[in-house]
Amino acid sequence: MKEREIDPHPRNRESELSRFPHKEIELKWSERWYQDKLYRADDFSQKPKYYVLDMYPYPSGSGLHVGHVEGYTASDITARFKRMNGFEVLHPMGWDAFGLPTENYAIETGRNPHDVTAENIAVFKAQCLRTGLSIDWDREIDTSKEDYYKWTQKLFVELFKKGLAYKDEAPANWCPDCVTVIANEQVVGGCCERCSAQVETKRIEQWFFKITDYADRLIEDLDQLDWPESTKIGQINWIGRSEGRNIRFSIIDGDLDDLTVFTTRPETLYGASFVVVAPEHHLVEKLVSEDQRESVNEYVSRIIPQTQIERQKTNREKTGVFTGKYVQNPLTNKMLPIWVADYVLMDYGTGIIMGVPAHDERDKNFAEKHDLEIIPVVKPDEEYPDDLGKSVFLTGKYEGQPVEDTMDQLFQELGNRSEKAVQYKLRDWLISRERYWGAPIPIIHCNQCGDQPVPVDELPILLPKDIEDYRPTGTPPLAKSEHFIDTTCPHCNGAAKREAKTLDTFVDSSWYFLRFADPHNSKAFTSEELLDKWLPVDFYVGGTEHTVGHLLYARFITKALYDLGYLKFDEPFTSLRHPGIVLGPDQRKMSKRWGNVINPEDVSNEFGSDTLRLYEMFMGPLDKSKPWNPRSVTGVRKFIDRVWRLQEKVSESTIDTEQQLTDTLIANITTAVEAGKYNIAVSEFMKYVNKIEESGNISRDSLEKFLKCLAPFAPFITEEMWVRLGKQYSIHLEQWPEPVLATNIHETPKVIPVQINGKARGIIEISPDFTGTEEELRQLIESEDKISSKISGKSIQRIVYVPGKIINIVT
Ligand code: ANZ
Ligand code: ZN
């Protein structure tokens, strides 16, 4: 480092020192760090690993927005903090480059998605560098590149061979504007999440991943994750597991098969006064009596084109039509009319329900409209409970008996007419798209041999670049390319055709976190050693909008790969945090329409990226949505200048009160970062500088420690001041400071993962200075319900505690 030249004119000198010259300094360090590969993660390091990941962005035309910067800063602070605390940190970045957003942007601008993607990535990358993110750029990945999608295609082939990928013709969500099918998870309030067009239903052949096979595990394993509770609940509700019973009703007159209904309230069977079949049900045609055929046909053909979403609206009028036939209630032997009505959905349960109008709101509306009998199951003066309790007494058949005691009796009486049944709301994941910009599905259709997977050594199936018109028309653009489509069958060598559909982007992002461990591997998607080294992700940051999409898909793929023997862990993201939405200064969602969009690049230009980072952390708790406040940005910039001027206040002596102040700062920042309370950390820095300014000077030692604490938050100014203090480049490779007096550090409990026989089973809070015996540890573990339930009945051989890191229970 060259000696600084000191301007001889005091006035100029004052102005130079009074304001942090962010432009030159930030540019200088971002280039230097990049060239030096300062944040490279060493695969061979002996240090404990820590994997910090952001949900990687799709490289849109408009560059980073302040919402990106919010999450990226939070994860970057954590990455830098862990690095300074002795961890080998993997903090990579990549581009979710295939898919609708990029392709739609290319279409809008009349360009080719290949070119557009490359340009957009360059913009994003420059902005990430500018923001001071401590990324290992040697691991950058681009999902639209063949060395990436080769492995996406291999993933498909592996799942296909395991029976977890299949083709089916079924009604699907069709976006008329994107001109493709989309997954259930991509329909928000009846509209396409991308373009907001009203989604239609279309019957069309598609490819699915069988995520429903994993429904129970996807619910159960949430227990072991350090995720926001609301996200776990979101996934549980989306999976929608219901326990109930199937009950069989026989049809009166005629030799038709029995009708089976799914119910979660079998004890209301006594009150069933009609049965309803979904309009699409294949039995409808057979059920109808001749005199009712015309009206049933009219009704069914009117309803079927309507979407599920329309039909499920609660305020919708309960329309329906009588079939002319009856079933027998197996409990009361009463004749119940069979109706067809659109409030019963084909793809839930058995597609047939028993109507219990006294106790179900939908059935009640229907019965009132169509004048059907209403039979209460409890005495009229009693309310039927949501949860069964002994206090409710039945009428009719089981007169006077409490509901709960009656269940077994009821099931016994029904014999083989009833059986336990479990239903899920979750549907299989629709992965194929009638679009160009994605990985071609590696399947070959042969008239003789059916669908054959492309042999793995022939992957990748390249996405052809010379397609004349890649715009969506409803049939896949690749189908128009003869030299792409025509091929030979890998099984019989006869003429065959390639699948022309492509994989949705969410397939690319369902495994990308694995590729970062070993991004240049050409033999495997990731080597076994590097998987062991880096995975799973320790800290994952990204938006709540991915709760039932990406986050569920990634968990499913991880479990499928675990079952296939590729992975030794079956959950991808150990802890997860969501950044809240950054609103415009007018408290509205930022949008071009409102003219309230803040561009982070403008903020970096005017105030500097340190200010941008600090401000976005200062705004409030990470997970809350909060409005942008331009005045507060200026305030943070002033704070940066005050930090800059601490250089003028350095004295060589140390006073005790200052040392205590610095110790407290270290302790508070440590606690705040570990708890993800970045906003609290920023205000601690501000308090500290206030106190120092009051006293008039700061010791070198304290300033160095202060800079180290601030370094993860404001990497540029701290690096510059560090070097100006004559210290060795780089502050970002320094050790986190230790308090000297260590008196006022409050010990907050640490969250420690608990394994049972090597498998993650939950978490427990332990004081960081815990030095208890194994017996005390056992008591602690047994007091944690979720874990104790998993070891009850087993005899514990040993409990191994690696202080501060992990507990392993051996049974
Ligand atoms: C009788 C009954 C009485 C019901 C009562 C509810 C309350 P969840 O909890 O969401 O699983 N159902 C079953 N299949 C259906 C379908 N294909 N379309 C529309 N509704 C359907 O809901 C299960 C309940 O939803 C079932 O229990 C059935 O109505 C209805 F007091 O049976 B119930
Ligand atoms: Zn063949």
Side-chain angles (χ1 to χ4, degrees):
M1 183 82 205
K2 196 172 130 215
E3 270 298 291
R4 278 179 55 248
E5 283 163 34
I6 294 182
D7 194 315
H9 300 285
R11 205 163 46 93
N12 292 347
R13 208 178 135 198
E14 166 62 29
S15 69
E16 195 227 342
L17 265 184
S18 62
R19 277 184 64 84
F20 171 55
H22 64 267
K23 274 210 183 89
E24 312 87 276
I25 289 175
E26 293 187 351
L27 188 70
K28 173 181 78 180
W29 289 122
S30 65
E31 277 175 5
R32 174 95 188 259
W33 295 333
Y34 184 67
Q35 270 156 21
D36 291 354
K37 300 184 191 290
L38 194 70
Y39 306 113
R40 217 182 50 107
D42 180 1
D43 287 334
F44 304 103
S45 166
Q46 296 301 310
K47 296 179 197 168
K49 70 96 183 180
Y50 199 80
Y51 185 176
V52 183
L53 186 63
D54 300 289
M55 290 182 185
Y56 68 164
Y58 64 82
S60 73
S62 40
L64 286 189
H65 56 70
V66 288
H68 287 125
V69 174
E70 181 195 20
Y72 296 175
T73 303
S75 57
D76 192 56
I77 290 167
T78 299
R80 290 173 176 278
F81 173 80
K82 287 286 175 182
R83 222 178 262 125
M84 293 176 82
N85 277 280
F87 288 84
E88 188 64 31
V89 171
L90 172 57
H91 186 33
M93 182 55 84
W95 318 110
D96 192 8
F98 262 152
L100 284 183
T102 313
E103 193 179 14
N104 286 350
Y105 176 78
I107 290 167
E108 267 167 44
T109 51
R111 315 254 323 269
N112 183 301
H114 293 273
D115 305 339
V116 164
T117 301
E119 275 171 29
N120 291 352
I121 285 177
V123 170
F124 266 74
K125 183 169 176 179
Q127 290 186 331
C128 287
L129 289 168
R130 177 76 199 272
T131 312
L133 304 181
S134 62
I135 302 294
D136 177 354
W137 288 106
D138 283 355
R139 294 175 193 255
E140 186 179 349
I141 57 180
D142 170 348
T143 57
S144 69
K145 288 267 154 49
E146 56 193 77
D147 63 351
Y148 183 86
Y149 71 71
K150 168 178 177 170
W151 303 107
T152 308
Q153 290 175 332
K154 167 118 192 287
L155 172 70
F156 177 94
V157 170
E158 292 286 315
L159 295 195
F160 179 81
K161 287 182 181 160
K162 189 96 202 291
L164 288 172
Y166 69 94
K167 194 168 76 176
D168 189 23
E169 196 193 303
N173 309 299
W174 178 264
C175 173
D177 285 9
C178 293
V179 208
T180 179
V181 293
I182 55 177
N184 289 347
E185 291 77 16
Q186 290 167 320
V187 179
V188 180
C191 298
C192 170
E193 69 161 2
R194 272 288 131 236
C195 72
S196 302
Q198 183 112 30
V199 169
E200 299 165 2
T201 304
K202 194 164 170 174
R203 225 189 145 78
I204 175 171
E205 194 170 77
Q206 314 131 54
W207 286 93
F208 294 89
F209 279 163
K210 220 169 177 185
I211 192 171
T212 51
D213 272 11
Y214 286 74
D216 282 337
R217 279 163 74 185
L218 288 167
I219 293 174
E220 282 159 21
D221 294 350
L222 285 169
D223 262 8
Q224 44 174 292
L225 301 178
D226 170 27
W227 284 25
E229 211 44 43
S230 54
T231 310
K232 294 185 181 184
I233 292 169
Q235 292 203 343
I236 291 169
N237 289 343
W238 184 257
I239 296 167
R241 184 181 199 277
S242 279
E243 278 183 32
R245 291 187 89 84
N246 283 345
I247 299 180
R248 221 146 42 78
F249 291 71
S250 44
I251 297 182
I252 296 171
D253 93 62
D255 13 77
L256 293 169
D257 289 345
D258 292 346
L259 294 189
T260 303
V261 309
F262 171 69
T263 175
T264 47
R265 308 301 292 265
E267 74 286 355
T268 63
L269 176 58
Y270 175 81
S273 56
F274 56 95
V275 160
V276 187
V277 183
E280 315 58 3
H281 205 291
H282 68 277
L283 284 178
V284 168
E285 193 162 347
K286 293 188 208 156
L287 276 173
V288 183
S289 67
E290 277 321 307
D291 53 332
Q292 285 296 94
R293 187 162 300 277
E294 202 175 318
S295 40
V296 172
N297 283 353
E298 188 277 325
Y299 181 74
V300 169
S301 55
R302 183 154 51 84
I303 292 301
I304 285 180
Q306 300 179 11
T307 65
Q308 300 279 346
I309 297 122
E310 278 172 57
R311 289 170 49 180
Q312 264 169 300
K313 284 194 181 131
T314 42
N315 57 355
R316 189 174 153 94
E317 208 192 330
K318 298 278 176 293
T319 62
V321 58
F322 177 48
T323 61
K325 293 260 164 89
Y326 295 84
V327 287
Q328 194 170 39
N329 183 326
L331 188 63
T332 63
N333 292 335
K334 264 190 160 185
M335 267 171 65
L336 314 183
I338 306 170
W339 284 67
V340 174
D342 70 352
Y343 78 100
V344 175
L345 305 173
M346 184 56 221
D347 71 345
Y348 191 66
T350 60
I352 308 174
I353 65 143
M354 61 179 192
V356 185
H359 305 297
D360 181 285
E361 203 54 35
R362 297 161 298 181
D363 296 344
K364 185 171 165 224
N365 294 339
F366 189 77
E368 279 171 352
K369 174 135 190 262
H370 302 285
D371 214 7
L372 296 158
E373 199 182 352
I374 299 176
I375 309 167
V377 179
V378 292
K379 299 209 175 106
D381 53 338
E382 286 196 83
E383 182 121 346
Y384 200 76
D386 281 344
D387 282 311
L388 297 179
K390 285 193 198 264
S391 58
V392 177
F393 296 91
L394 299 174
T395 60
K397 183 118 183 172
Y398 300 117
E399 175 82 53
Q401 293 189 41
V403 162
E404 216 174 55
D405 294 0
T406 314
M407 291 286 224
D408 283 343
Q409 202 181 328
L410 170 70
F411 298 149
Q412 228 162 43
E413 198 162 326
L414 289 175
N416 68 0
R417 299 216 149 255
S418 107
E419 65 189 10
K420 250 189 152 160
V422 180
Q423 287 297 328
Y424 302 88
K425 299 233 155 55
L426 182 69
R427 293 287 163 265
D428 278 338
W429 171 18
L430 201 175
I431 51 164
S432 55
R433 299 291 178 270
E434 285 75 21
R435 298 284 298 231
Y436 168 69
W437 193 235
I441 294 178
I443 285 286
I444 293 168
H445 305 293
C446 169
N447 283 339
Q448 307 305 316
C449 318
D451 286 333
Q452 296 292 322
V454 173
V456 168
D457 57 10
E458 286 173 27
L459 297 177
I461 299 303
L462 293 179
L463 179 68
K465 291 192 177 163
D466 55 351
I467 294 281
E468 251 172 52
D469 189 1
Y470 62 83
R471 282 175 306 182
T473 57
T475 44
L478 291 183
K480 287 178 275 185
S481 166
E482 274 165 27
H483 78 252
F484 174 82
I485 283 294
D486 291 330
T487 184
T488 51
C489 169
H491 192 243
C492 72
N493 254 325
K497 293 210 183 297
R498 285 193 195 285
E499 171 63 64
K501 293 185 176 74
T502 53
L503 291 169
D504 183 39
T505 10
F506 281 99
V507 180
D508 307 328
S509 58
S510 69
W511 73 279
Y512 79 111
F513 45 92
L514 303 173
R515 185 65 176 169
F516 280 130
D518 193 6
H520 308 294
N521 195 327
S522 58
K523 306 248 151 40
F525 71 97
T526 299
S527 74
E528 214 172 304
E529 303 85 77
L530 292 176
L531 275 176
D532 285 350
K533 167 84 200 177
W534 294 115
L535 272 291
V537 175
D538 296 284
F539 190 63
Y540 197 35
V541 178
T544 52
E545 68 274 21
H546 293 294
T547 299
V548 301
H550 163 64
L551 287 169
L552 201 57
Y553 298 152
R555 293 184 61 220
F556 155 63
I557 291 296
T558 302
K559 288 177 192 303
L561 288 174
Y562 170 87
D563 290 351
L564 283 161
Y566 282 105
L567 305 179
K568 294 192 188 116
F569 54 93
D570 65 354
E571 282 292 340
F573 314 122
T574 309
S575 58
L576 169 73
R577 296 292 177 268
H578 301 301
I581 293 174
V582 180
L583 302 169
D586 56 358
Q587 307 260 2
R588 283 194 287 203
K589 212 176 154 167
M590 284 190 193
S591 155
K592 281 191 190 130
R593 196 157 114 227
W594 308 125
N596 61 354
V597 178
I598 303 287
N599 180 356
E601 203 170 0
D602 296 342
V603 181
S604 284
N605 285 337
E606 187 174 351
F607 300 101
S609 293
D610 279 339
T611 298
L612 174 65
R613 292 168 61 110
L614 265 189
Y615 168 67
E616 289 215 24
M617 294 300 98
F618 186 57
M619 290 178 85
L622 180 67
D623 60 349
K624 295 284 174 310
S625 65
K626 32 220 164 191
W628 191 269
N629 180 343
R631 283 238 307 282
S632 190
V633 180
T634 315
V636 170
R637 168 64 216 211
K638 284 189 178 136
F639 169 72
I640 287 284
D641 288 331
R642 285 161 62 199
V643 170
W644 184 241
R645 291 196 292 267
L646 289 179
Q647 297 176 96
E648 302 163 33
K649 299 184 171 60
V650 180
S651 78
E652 291 304 325
S653 63
T654 314
I655 29 172
D656 255 15
T657 50
E658 184 200 283
Q659 198 155 64
Q660 232 165 52
L661 194 67
T662 308
D663 280 358
T664 308
L665 177 80
I666 296 170
N668 288 346
I669 301 298
T670 306
T671 314
V673 176
E674 278 176 350
K677 295 181 174 162
Y678 309 99
N679 58 322
I680 296 199
V682 179
S683 57
E684 290 296 329
F685 290 127
M686 291 175 169
K687 274 199 267 179
Y688 183 82
V689 171
N690 283 345
K691 293 258 172 65
I692 294 294
E693 285 176 343
E694 276 167 28
S695 87
N697 54 42
I698 182 170
S699 69
R700 265 186 89 83
D701 180 60
S702 287
L703 181 56
E704 284 169 17
K705 284 177 176 159
F706 169 76
L707 290 176
K708 284 185 188 178
C709 288
L710 185 62
F713 294 78
F716 297 105
I717 189 172
T718 49
E719 183 80 291
E720 181 68 19
M721 287 175 71
W722 182 254
V723 171
R724 286 186 186 214
L725 278 174
K727 306 295 288 184
Q728 202 188 337
Y729 165 84
S730 158
I731 191 171
H732 303 299
L733 302 179
E734 287 290 320
Q735 281 297 305
W736 191 248
E738 295 278 347
V740 181
L741 305 171
T743 42
N744 34 23
I745 299 171
H746 23 272
E747 300 286 8
T748 44
K750 256 189 109 157
V751 175
I752 305 288
V754 179
Q755 298 191 336
I756 301 173
N757 299 327
K759 204 168 179 312
R761 283 304 184 196
I763 46 175
I764 195 165
E765 287 195 349
I766 288 194
S767 154
D769 55 358
F770 176 85
T771 51
T773 60
E774 193 172 318
E775 185 47 38
E776 283 166 330
L777 203 58
R778 179 194 305 253
Q779 282 171 9
L780 210 62
I781 288 164
E782 280 170 354
S783 67
E784 187 65 43
D785 287 350
K786 280 186 180 155
I787 299 168
S788 70
S789 68
K790 291 187 175 117
I791 45 175
S792 70
K794 292 180 189 155
S795 77
I796 297 177
Q797 305 290 333
R798 230 151 57 86
I799 302 180
V800 185
Y801 177 40
V802 185
K805 299 221 161 56
I806 200 160
I807 293 173
N808 195 4
I809 303 167
V810 185
T811 66

